[in-house]
Amino acid sequence: MEPLPLHLCKPYKLSSILNRLYSLIHVTALTSLIYYRVSSLASTPLASLPAQLLVFALELLLSLLWLLNQAYLWNPVSRRVFPERLPENEQNLPAIDVFICTADPKKEPPLEVMNTVLSAMALDYPSKKLHVYLSDDAGSALTLLALRQACAFASSWLPFCRRFGIKTRCPKRKYELFKEHIRIAEEEKSSATDKINPSIVEVIIDKSDDEVRTNQVEMPLLVYVSREKRPPHPHHFKAGALNCLLRVSSILSNSPYILVLDCDMYCNDPTSAKQAMCFHLDPKLSPSLAFVQFPQKFHNISSNDIYDSQLRTTFQVRWPGMDGIQGPMLSGTCFYMKREALYGIFLQKELHHLKESFGPSNELIISLQRSNQRKTIGNGTLSSTLQQEAQFLASYNYETNTLWGKQARWKSVFCNPSRSAFLGSATSSLNDTLVQGTRWNCGLLEVTFSKCSPPLYGLSRMPLLQTMCYSYYALQPFYSLPLWCLASVPQLCLINGISLYPKVSSPWFVIFSSIFLCSLLKHLVDVLVTGGSVQTWCNEQRIWMIKSLTCYTYGTIDAILKCFGMKQPCFSPTNKVSDDEQAKLHQLGMAWRKDTGLVPASVALLSFVLSIIFLLLGSVVLSSKFGSGDFGNGSGGDGHGGVGHSGGDGHSGGGGHSDGDEGNVGGDDGNGSGDGRGGHASDGSGGGGGAVAAAAAATAAMAAMATAATMAIMTATTATTATTMTAATATTAVTMTAAAAMTASAYMAAAEDT
């Protein structure tokens, strides 16, 4: 009899059909738009040709990004696991190494880091099969002392969890004595370290004489690792820290599976390890499976979630969509990885080739041929030989002239259980959110500019849809260019008599408006289906606009500077220090500035005053451009035909121009031009098309002026990156949305329709 399956995969058939139908309709509309652009270029005056080509190129870029984004919606699936069907004898389960990385005790409080360590040690898994490694890139004595205190506390905490079946293994507010020890250590020890850090590898054991130790169960192995860093030699930040832990753990525990966690991402469900094993131990799936990805979720999300900190689109739309193709991307945390997958095809090579790939360490080479052989460690100390070898593996130049990390291929699955497996701390201030987003987008573009660029490197190595998914994230920062240009160029062209879009009465206008409205509606439906609200939809639209103007822009600039060697690589950890006042405002849905709290009223007032000034100037420009009084002349081209200035006494200006056709009608006795093509209307009812177009032109011009005011404020507030971002977003959130109503937003929302 065939054993019951450890997991089930269920496709979202209805959602898939609706998504594909929407994609077909949208592609048809985009094709019509492209046809309109190409056909109108032949009749475009030479003076307006550069603007037409620029807008056309930007629309093509946005259409490409939208098309890439549709790959996530092609075949979404959900998975269900059955941990109770795993082998009854837990000693038959494979061993797991847990990697936790921290880099700065000032931004990542040791107390929060120890919460994560304790929760990992308390996983519902055999203690002999569990090994926890903490990488401290700061080499902080405070972090090391805190880890020793955590080990002493765990000797009584872990048996308590197992005895009473406590689900949440992160002991928040239940260990006052432990917290007091950490606070005393923070006062006595400085967290600052020299830039040159020697390699440190220490096995942590509880050396206290507590009576509880005599009756406690065996503790998981706990190891502190601080790798050697010697500037200016590169150490590759978090990736380098994980590589170091991979090497050191290979000669100590060498578990076949690895759990990677950020220092603030504690284990909320102790059964997550067994859930992951439901995939890794499936004989049909296991040979090709590299890792099981869990979603990142956060315990401090406000009800409004004004910064979209829950990453709803990523973990509720895109990752399930990728799971239906060949598996989600590696999210950097909350995943169970197969160690063998990281070694790639190099394991099949001969000894001298292995040393070229993995370095000169004999112990490391030997560990490649075996797994799950935990070294015997007496009294918590390593033998001198093993200690020396571990420190050698943690040295700054071990990877030099090797093929370490050059090649690896894998398949993955996405597991999203009803109870959050892991919970972390989301950013609760606008500054931290934007700085973090800038770092992410800079990293994405660095991959784009590398030899492993997904659009080029991945096409011959991955399925088409999976390549599209990776390419979307690789090109995502380029949203900034179309947004800035389409929020300003069309309006400036309008002021100068260069029209770019069809008039309202034209059938082509339906194409532009349908793309805009259908995209917004599709995004709204996705939000509601995944449990969000209309307010969530509004917040996501707003924060996306803000991030596009700031994070995508600054991330692109940073990546380009690094590419040309004009900026040195740097890493600034996200600030995890909690602030009661900041947290309170965040829960209330209020923006927070790091320096002065709420966005200063002076910034908002300055934005308002400048916007009014530019709006008035815009009105003067339009009046002088298109005429005034009883009669006026309007020019439009193929974008805003019949833009005339209405006069008094029922008279209407004439002289509309549309698609190369001219029509002039005198304005007398209530007669005026209807659509700029020579039509007449009587009894004061004329000028319909011209009036609508005139109103549209005035609105667009006003929006352009407001955009100019915003750009002026941004230029004036470039003291620091974080301050610039905050000042810019304080004014652009409203003005840019209005400026891009029928231009940028029509395509921005289309491309971000998930």
Side-chain angles (χ1 to χ4, degrees):
M1 181 177 178
E2 186 177 352
L4 294 175
L6 296 175
H7 64 90
L8 292 177
C9 179
K10 178 183 178 182
Y12 292 111
K13 293 184 179 180
L14 179 60
S15 177
S16 178
I17 293 174
L18 294 177
N19 288 334
R20 295 180 187 185
L21 180 62
Y22 164 75
S23 298
L24 178 62
I25 296 174
H26 205 94
V27 165
T28 303
L30 288 178
T31 303
S32 302
L33 184 151
I34 294 173
Y35 173 79
Y36 167 79
R37 288 295 185 197
V38 173
S39 61
S40 63
L41 287 177
S43 58
T44 300
L46 186 61
S48 61
L49 186 60
Q52 289 278 4
L53 291 176
L54 174 61
V55 171
F56 186 28
L58 296 175
E59 289 171 348
L60 289 177
L61 174 58
L62 292 171
S63 299
L64 173 62
L65 290 172
W66 175 86
L67 181 63
L68 295 176
N69 193 38
Q70 299 315 295
Y72 297 109
L73 309 177
W74 196 253
N75 186 34
V77 300
S78 64
R79 297 184 185 271
R80 182 182 177 188
V81 295
F82 305 97
E84 65 276 6
R85 298 177 182 175
L86 289 171
E88 295 182 3
N89 186 359
E90 293 188 345
Q91 297 306 317
N92 293 331
L93 294 174
I96 298 175
D97 289 342
V98 183
F99 292 171
I100 302 171
C101 298
T102 183
D104 187 346
K106 293 182 179 179
K107 292 186 176 181
E108 300 168 338
L111 188 61
E112 297 298 320
V113 178
M114 295 311 117
N115 283 338
T116 302
V117 171
L118 288 168
S119 67
M121 295 177 69
L123 283 172
D124 185 14
Y125 214 73
S127 296
K128 289 184 179 181
K129 303 284 187 176
L130 200 58
H131 320 100
V132 181
Y133 294 81
L134 176 64
S135 171
D136 178 19
D137 259 7
S140 170
L142 174 59
T143 302
L144 178 56
L145 177 61
L147 190 62
R148 292 169 180 163
Q149 294 288 343
C151 183
F153 176 77
S155 63
S156 57
W157 171 251
L158 300 190
F160 181 80
C161 289
R162 294 189 176 98
R163 181 179 179 183
F164 295 100
I166 296 177
K167 288 291 185 182
T168 303
R169 305 298 178 95
C170 181
K172 295 269 188 181
R173 300 185 179 87
K174 296 183 182 297
Y175 52 129
E176 295 300 325
L177 182 60
F178 170 55
K179 288 166 52 176
E180 187 63 26
H181 288 165
I182 300 297
R183 291 196 184 97
I184 294 174
E186 289 177 343
E187 295 176 358
E188 294 179 351
K189 292 184 177 291
S190 172
S191 60
T193 59
D194 296 331
K195 293 184 178 181
I196 299 178
N197 298 333
S199 56
I200 302 173
V201 179
E202 180 179 331
V203 177
I204 308 297
I205 64 169
D206 180 18
K207 298 181 180 179
S208 65
D209 296 329
D210 196 328
E211 295 180 358
V212 179
R213 277 192 57 83
T214 60
N215 298 322
Q216 76 169 42
V217 296
E218 183 176 355
M219 293 269 290
L221 178 68
L222 183 60
V223 183
Y224 172 87
V225 179
S226 178
R227 60 191 173 120
E228 182 181 18
K229 294 197 297 183
R230 290 182 179 271
H233 296 279
H235 58 280
H236 306 296
F237 311 108
K238 181 181 178 181
L242 290 174
N243 280 335
C244 175
L245 290 179
L246 183 65
R247 294 192 297 269
V248 172
S249 65
S250 67
I251 67 171
L252 296 182
S253 53
N254 201 30
S255 299
Y257 298 100
I258 298 168
L259 167 61
V260 177
L261 296 174
D262 284 345
C263 64
D264 66 314
M265 194 67 63
Y266 66 85
C267 303
N268 183 63
D269 187 351
T271 66
S272 65
K274 292 182 178 179
Q275 293 175 17
M277 290 304 113
C278 289
F279 299 103
H280 281 301
L281 298 183
D282 183 354
K284 296 181 180 179
L285 183 63
S286 180
S288 61
L289 180 64
F291 66 90
V292 178
Q293 179 68 63
F294 287 82
Q296 291 177 252
K297 296 188 178 181
F298 308 94
H299 61 81
N300 61 335
I301 298 293
S302 67
S303 57
N304 290 325
D305 193 18
I306 58 175
Y307 303 139
D308 188 27
S309 299
Q310 63 179 327
L311 304 174
R312 183 202 61 83
T313 300
T314 299
F315 293 115
Q316 296 190 45
V317 177
R318 291 176 180 160
W319 265 219
M322 290 193 72
D323 197 15
I325 303 174
Q326 198 169 344
M329 302 180 195
L330 197 68
S331 300
T333 183
C334 306
F335 63 89
Y336 286 85
M337 169 74 73
K338 183 188 298 182
R339 182 184 291 267
E340 186 178 302
L342 295 172
Y343 295 152
I345 62 175
F346 299 122
L347 291 178
Q348 305 171 3
K349 297 184 177 181
E350 299 178 356
L351 179 61
H352 67 282
H353 290 301
L354 288 175
K355 288 198 172 184
E356 290 179 358
S357 302
F358 297 101
S361 172
N362 291 326
E363 286 288 337
L364 177 59
I365 299 300
I366 294 173
S367 72
L368 299 178
Q369 309 302 325
R370 56 179 171 78
S371 64
N372 194 21
Q373 293 187 12
R374 175 170 167 175
K375 294 286 185 179
T376 301
I377 301 172
N379 298 323
T381 59
L382 301 174
S383 65
S384 59
T385 303
L386 197 58
Q387 178 75 39
Q388 185 178 3
E389 191 72 14
Q391 291 180 343
F392 174 54
L393 291 171
S395 60
Y396 72 94
N397 61 347
Y398 182 84
E399 299 175 13
T400 305
N401 298 324
T402 69
L403 298 179
W404 189 273
K406 297 295 183 181
Q407 184 176 2
R409 298 179 188 176
W410 49 52
K411 182 178 179 180
S412 59
V413 298
F414 181 62
C415 183
N416 188 11
S418 56
R419 178 182 173 88
S420 301
F422 306 96
L423 288 176
S425 299
T427 54
S428 57
S429 71
L430 186 59
N431 285 28
D432 292 337
T433 299
L434 298 182
V435 171
Q436 181 187 62
T438 299
R439 187 177 70 245
W440 288 351
N441 284 277
C442 177
L444 291 173
L445 269 187
E446 288 184 89
V447 175
T448 305
F449 296 152
S450 71
K451 65 179 182 180
C452 297
S453 178
L456 303 177
Y457 184 84
L459 194 58
S460 61
R461 296 168 175 83
M462 296 187 295
L464 176 61
L465 290 176
Q466 189 180 31
T467 301
M468 291 172 63
C469 292
Y470 278 88
S471 298
Y472 174 81
Y473 269 104
L475 301 177
Q476 175 183 265
F478 288 134
Y479 270 128
S480 58
L481 179 61
L483 185 58
W484 279 110
C485 292
L486 292 178
S488 55
V489 171
Q491 290 80 8
L492 296 176
C493 289
L494 176 63
I495 294 174
N496 288 276
I498 301 174
S499 57
L500 300 173
Y501 298 94
K503 62 181 181 179
V504 177
S505 60
S506 171
W508 291 107
F509 181 80
V510 178
I511 300 297
F512 286 81
S513 58
S514 63
I515 291 176
F516 171 61
L517 296 176
C518 291
S519 299
L520 290 180
L521 181 61
K522 178 64 168 62
H523 183 205
L524 176 60
V525 170
D526 285 343
V527 171
L528 297 177
V529 168
T530 55
S533 61
V534 175
Q535 182 62 48
T536 302
W537 173 72
C538 294
N539 290 339
E540 289 188 9
Q541 288 284 331
R542 181 180 62 247
I543 196 63
W544 182 85
M545 181 73 73
I546 293 174
K547 288 182 177 179
S548 298
L549 291 169
T550 55
C551 301
Y552 295 174
T553 303
Y554 291 112
T556 301
I557 294 173
D558 284 349
I560 293 175
L561 292 178
K562 290 179 181 179
C563 182
F564 288 99
M566 301 173 63
K567 183 176 180 180
Q568 294 298 321
C570 61
F571 177 78
S572 177
T574 304
N575 186 22
K576 305 295 195 311
V577 179
S578 61
D579 184 292
D580 293 339
E581 183 180 0
Q582 175 178 321
K584 181 179 179 180
L585 291 174
H586 178 63
Q587 292 298 324
L588 293 175
M590 301 175 68
W592 169 269
R593 275 178 62 95
K594 183 178 180 180
D595 47 1
T596 59
L598 295 176
V599 176
S602 58
V603 174
L605 180 61
L606 178 62
S607 172
F608 177 75
V609 172
L610 290 178
S611 298
I612 293 299
I613 293 175
F614 278 109
L615 288 175
L616 295 176
L617 291 176
S619 300
V620 174
V621 171
L622 287 176
S623 298
S624 62
K625 181 70 180 177
F626 300 114
S628 59
D630 292 345
F631 297 94
N633 296 315
S635 64
D638 61 354
H640 298 277
V643 179
H645 182 79
S646 59
D649 300 327
H651 294 359
S652 176
H657 175 72
S658 176
D659 295 327
D661 298 327
E662 296 184 1
N664 296 297
V665 180
D668 188 24
D669 297 330
N671 298 324
S673 68
D675 62 357
R677 293 180 181 268
H680 292 266
S682 59
D683 300 327
S685 60
V692 173
T699 302
M702 292 178 181
M705 298 303 103
T707 303
T710 297
M711 296 176 67
I713 293 176
M714 290 187 65
T715 305
T717 55
T718 55
T720 62
T721 300
T723 304
T724 303
M725 290 177 177
T726 308
T729 54
T731 57
T732 55
V734 177
T735 56
M736 293 299 290
T737 303
M742 279 301 177
T743 55
S745 290
Y747 297 99
M748 291 292 107
E752 191 70 9
D753 58 4
T754 58

